[in-house]
């Protein structure tokens, strides 16, 4: 028969293992406490062997329990974990109610010391899985899209178990949730959209045709009603596209990265007609993406949001500089990757050392047709010496055998413009000026070979240099006017985060949405759905 719980607790309380559930029977007599302890250790060692972090924790902890003790700490830990698992879907993660039921049943049915060891490990593994998902994300970015090269933070599972053992359980569980203001704002937006979804969304869509100030009729009424429900327009009975509606459309356009002209063209109408469900998916994806970012972004850092076509300098959480950007073309290997690195220096009057892929794919075919093609770019040998084009038969080379490099010297016509900002990385991505200024006026700005072009690179440079020189503008132009390629080190390195976010919440608390330029968010959502994520309000 099994030993009564109170009896087992009394026998083991003086030892290292005060267990709260079940006991161990041996025939008609009670097994010695050391035998029970040994069985408990063996059960933990066996069950934990499939998880290196859990196994390491229990070895270091001398196999003492943190969950199955009779003390109030064990009870508090169990309650905190089961509560967290039961509410994990709030974070846009897979529902774990089945797991909660299984763990509860396993604890309820524990009768032997071995059972207790298995319960102990099951709870520990549940904590580690939960903590990893909510703190660093459910998915592995690089497994979803080859442009998502971001390496998400890695935390040793033993850290979570030590934290649960040593800290107040509920406080520790709360500490696992990303602490960034953006994550909290996205959670709030998720709840708002879920409520809207259950209420039927934003109502009927708007006919897909151009609407503009001065028009009236049923289509304008449909636009009016949609804008009212979305919170961009006060209640009105007008059938006219009046000044109030024009202003509402402009606010919508600003919040969605559209040209702010007050005209509901096809692009604007298409965004207005996006459903609550579509926006909710973007928010859940954004929450997952937020979990991938480093916890410490840097008190000063550069943030490039590809879908927003902007680059910003963030100081202590506030945007202190912002400029438009151009990102990689939505084609093959030109798409800009997502990753974080550290900016170390800038180069004023840079040369453009043409990437090998561009040399062989774009310029070599031209050189075969005409040796003088792309004459503004030097051809150099392996020692950096300029090659006489007239002495080379370019038709004999293939992309693999072409032995030369290409370099464009510093000038206002240089593909990199007059300054570049370097955070050395294996993807050969950096921020830079460009002579193609006309591209910044376009709504969708995906034209580069992968690097990030800045509309206001000089002002960006001044902002970076302001922390290390009294007159950054004068310093910059003194170097620029020399015409010489000059490397300027940053006294304090600046983290750079190149992200891809179709849903963000502004500092004013208003949700803003962008188009899925590369189709990456659709891939992330599909992966989340395959992993078991279900949106509240659409389960049926």
């Amino acid at each position: 028969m099994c030993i009564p719980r109170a009896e087992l607790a009394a026998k083991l309380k003086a030892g290292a293992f005060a267990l709260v559930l079940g006991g161990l029977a041996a025939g008609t007599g009670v097994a010695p406490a050391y035998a029970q302890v040994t069985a408990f250790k063996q059960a933990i060692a066996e069950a934990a062997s499939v998880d290196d972090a859990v196994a390491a924790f229990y070895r270091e902890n001398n196999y003492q329990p943190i969950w199955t003790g009779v003390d109030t700490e064990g009870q508090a830990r169990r309650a905190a974990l089961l509560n967290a698992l039961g509410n994990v879907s709030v974070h846009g993660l897979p529902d774990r109610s089945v797991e909660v039921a299984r763990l509860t049943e396993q604890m309820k049915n524990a009768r032997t010391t071995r059972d207790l060891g298995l319960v102990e490990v099951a709870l520990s593994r549940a904590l580690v899985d939960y903590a990893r998902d909510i703190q660093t994300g459910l998915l592995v970015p690089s497994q979803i899209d080859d442009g998502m090269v971001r390496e998400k933070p890695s935390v040793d599972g033993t850290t979570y178990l030590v934290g649960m053992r040593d800290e107040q359980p509920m406080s520790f569980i709360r500490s696992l949730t990303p602490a960034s203001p953006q994550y909290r704002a996205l959670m709030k937006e998720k709840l708002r959209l879920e409520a809207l979804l259950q209420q039927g969304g934003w109502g009927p869509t708007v006919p897909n045709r151009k609407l503009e100030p001065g028009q009236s009729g049923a289509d304008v009424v449909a636009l009016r009603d949609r804008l009212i429900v979305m919170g961009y327009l006060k209640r009105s009975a007008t059938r006219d596209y009046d000044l109030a509606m024009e202003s509402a459309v402009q606010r919508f356009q600003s919040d969605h990265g559209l040209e702010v002209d007050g005209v509901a063209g096809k692009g604007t109408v298409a965004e207005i007609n996006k459903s609550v469900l579509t926006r909710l998916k973007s928010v859940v994806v954004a929450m997952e993406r937020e979990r991938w970012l480093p916890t410490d972004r840097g008190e000063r850092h550069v943030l490039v949001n590809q879908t927003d076509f902007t680059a910003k300098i963030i100081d202590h959480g506030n945007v202190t500089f912002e400029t438009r950007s151009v990102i990689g073309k939505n084609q093959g290997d030109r798409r800009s990757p997502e990753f974080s690195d550290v900016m170390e220096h800038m180069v004023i009057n840079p040369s453009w050392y043409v990437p090998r892929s561009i040399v062989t794919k774009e310029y070599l075919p031209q050189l075969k047709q005409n040796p003088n093609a792309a004459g503004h770019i030097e051809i150099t040998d392996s020692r950096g010496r300029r090659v006489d084009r007239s002495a080379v038969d370019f038709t004999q080379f293939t992309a693999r055998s072409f032995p030369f490099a290409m370099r464009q010297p510093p000038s206002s016509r240089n593909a990199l413009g007059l300054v570049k900002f370097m955070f050395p990385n294996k993807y050969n991505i950096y921020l830079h000026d460009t002579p193609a200024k006309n591209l910044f006026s376009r709504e969708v700005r995906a034209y580069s070979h992968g690097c990030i072009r800045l509309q206001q690179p000089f002002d960006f440079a001044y902002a970076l240099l302001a922390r290390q020189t009294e007159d950054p503008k004068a310093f910059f132009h003194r170097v620029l006017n020399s015409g010489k390629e000059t490397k300027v080190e940053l006294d304090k390195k600046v983290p750079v985060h190149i992200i891809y976010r179709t849903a963000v919440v502004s500092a004013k608390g208003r949700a803003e949405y962008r188009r899925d330029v590369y189709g990456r968010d659709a891939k992330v959502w599909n992966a989340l759905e395959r992993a078991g994520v279900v949106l509240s309000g659409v389960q049926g």
Side-chain angles (χ1 to χ4, degrees):
M1 65 178 185
C2 293
I3 301 175
R5 298 179 186 178
E7 182 179 344
L8 179 60
K11 286 180 176 294
L12 298 181
K13 194 169 184 179
F17 298 93
L19 306 179
V20 70
L21 303 173
L24 178 65
T28 58
V30 175
Y34 74 86
Q36 298 167 34
V37 169
T38 300
F40 184 77
K41 284 185 175 182
Q42 289 175 341
I44 287 181
E46 178 185 325
S49 64
V50 297
D51 190 313
D52 291 343
V54 176
F57 169 76
Y58 280 105
R59 284 196 301 270
E60 294 168 4
N61 203 47
N62 196 27
Y63 295 93
Q64 295 184 53
I66 64 172
W67 305 101
T68 54
V70 295
D71 52 9
T72 56
E73 287 82 1
Q75 296 175 17
R77 292 180 193 121
R78 293 196 300 275
L81 175 61
L82 294 178
N83 180 68
L85 294 176
N87 290 286
V88 72
S89 58
V90 172
H91 296 275
L93 293 170
D95 179 78
R96 293 197 175 189
S97 56
V98 173
E99 183 180 6
V100 171
R102 178 181 58 78
L103 289 170
T104 302
E105 190 70 13
Q106 188 175 0
M107 288 187 286
K108 178 182 176 181
N109 294 331
R111 291 293 181 268
T112 67
T113 304
R114 176 177 175 77
D115 291 342
L116 288 174
L118 299 179
V119 167
E120 179 73 26
V121 172
L123 291 167
S124 288
R125 294 189 65 190
L127 172 68
V128 171
D129 289 344
Y130 168 83
R132 283 173 173 158
D133 288 352
I134 201 167
Q135 193 172 62
T136 63
L138 183 67
L139 307 175
V140 178
S142 60
Q143 294 178 358
I144 300 168
D145 185 284
D146 57 11
M148 295 164 55
V149 294
R150 176 172 302 285
E151 296 180 4
K152 66 179 188 177
S154 177
V155 180
D156 187 345
T158 58
T159 302
Y160 298 128
L161 293 168
V162 169
M164 179 57 89
R165 180 194 67 190
D166 296 346
E167 299 178 29
Q168 199 280 329
M170 287 300 295
S171 296
F172 174 71
I173 288 290
R174 284 194 293 269
S175 75
L176 297 174
T177 301
S180 69
Q182 185 64 203
Y183 188 84
R184 294 193 296 271
L186 287 167
M187 280 190 68
K188 185 176 179 180
E189 176 67 1
K190 175 178 177 288
L191 293 172
R192 186 183 78 87
L193 292 176
E194 287 171 343
L196 276 170
L197 191 61
Q198 292 172 352
Q199 295 165 14
W202 287 313
T205 57
V206 181
N208 189 21
R209 72 179 187 86
K210 184 178 181 181
L211 297 171
E212 54 189 334
Q215 292 182 334
S216 62
D219 291 352
V220 173
V221 170
L223 174 62
R224 177 202 70 192
D225 292 345
R226 190 87 170 177
L227 290 170
I228 289 172
V229 177
M230 297 177 86
Y232 287 96
L233 186 64
K234 294 181 179 179
R235 289 203 169 277
S236 168
T238 184
R239 296 173 58 85
D240 301 326
Y241 199 130
D242 56 16
L243 184 60
M245 190 175 297
E246 182 180 2
S247 297
V249 169
Q250 289 174 335
R251 287 193 295 275
F252 178 90
Q253 290 170 329
S254 178
D255 284 351
H256 293 76
L258 305 168
E259 182 182 356
V260 182
D261 59 7
V263 175
K266 287 190 175 181
T268 295
V269 171
E271 291 303 304
I272 287 174
N273 282 337
K274 292 283 177 68
S275 67
V276 171
L277 179 60
T278 297
R279 298 308 190 194
L280 179 56
K281 289 178 180 178
S282 293
V283 169
V284 171
V285 168
M287 291 174 69
E288 173 70 3
R289 287 180 169 282
E290 188 72 11
R291 290 187 282 262
W292 297 344
L293 289 174
T295 302
D296 182 6
R297 316 271 166 91
E299 65 177 35
R300 159 169 275 203
H301 62 270
V302 173
L303 185 70
V304 177
N305 186 5
Q306 296 180 40
T307 65
D308 190 35
F309 307 108
T310 61
K312 302 174 182 177
I313 295 177
I314 312 291
D315 287 300
H316 301 286
N318 298 312
V319 177
T320 55
F321 177 84
E322 180 175 350
T323 183
R324 289 188 169 201
S325 68
V326 168
I327 65 170
K329 189 174 183 179
N330 186 22
Q331 181 183 78
D333 60 1
R334 293 190 179 187
R335 299 180 184 93
S336 300
E338 306 165 40
F339 65 103
S340 293
D341 214 299
V342 178
M343 186 180 294
E344 300 176 358
H345 64 273
M346 66 181 72
V347 178
I348 303 174
N349 295 312
S351 294
W352 181 40
Y353 296 91
V354 187
R356 177 75 182 179
S357 61
I358 298 178
V359 170
T360 57
K361 291 179 182 179
E362 297 186 24
Y363 290 129
L364 179 57
Q366 295 179 35
L367 292 169
K368 287 182 177 182
Q369 295 291 324
N370 176 11
N372 295 315
H376 61 293
I377 300 180
E378 298 175 352
I379 298 176
T380 58
D381 63 16
S382 60
R383 297 176 63 181
R385 298 173 299 190
R386 188 166 183 169
V387 172
D388 181 359
R389 292 171 179 244
S390 63
V392 179
D393 177 11
F394 293 105
T395 62
Q396 67 178 305
F397 299 117
T398 65
R400 180 171 294 182
S401 65
F402 189 67
F404 306 118
M406 299 183 76
R407 168 185 174 269
Q408 185 180 20
S411 76
S412 59
R413 295 179 56 206
N414 188 286
L416 305 184
L418 295 171
V419 60
K420 66 178 181 178
F421 306 90
M422 304 300 292
F423 37 104
N425 57 80
K426 60 185 177 183
Y427 315 110
N428 198 28
I429 297 296
Y430 42 88
L431 311 183
H432 65 87
D433 182 19
T434 176
K437 305 295 187 183
N438 62 305
L439 297 179
F440 293 108
S441 63
R442 303 191 182 184
E443 189 175 271
V444 175
R445 299 187 288 277
Y447 297 100
S448 80
H449 283 85
C451 286
I452 311 298
R453 304 175 187 176
L454 304 180
Q455 184 181 32
Q456 298 170 285
F458 288 10
D459 293 315
F460 186 77
Y462 306 156
L464 292 173
L465 293 170
R467 292 194 168 187
Q468 61 190 67
T469 181
E470 290 186 0
D471 192 341
K473 187 173 181 179
F475 171 85
F476 180 86
H477 284 278
R478 186 165 59 251
V479 177
L480 180 68
N481 293 337
S482 74
K484 296 180 180 179
E485 185 168 358
T486 305
K487 180 179 179 181
V488 178
E489 296 284 350
L490 295 179
D491 289 352
K492 190 171 183 180
K493 314 309 179 188
V494 181
V496 177
H497 306 290
I498 301 178
I499 68 172
Y500 186 99
R501 199 66 65 77
T502 61
V504 296
V505 180
S506 70
K508 296 181 179 179
R510 192 171 192 90
E512 299 182 357
Y513 296 95
R514 297 295 184 266
R515 284 164 285 192
D516 192 2
V517 187
Y518 295 154
R520 288 178 184 164
D521 266 19
K523 292 182 180 180
V524 175
W525 169 252
N526 290 337
L528 288 171
E529 200 168 32
R530 287 193 299 271
V533 173
V534 177
L535 300 178
S536 176
V538 296
Q539 290 92 331

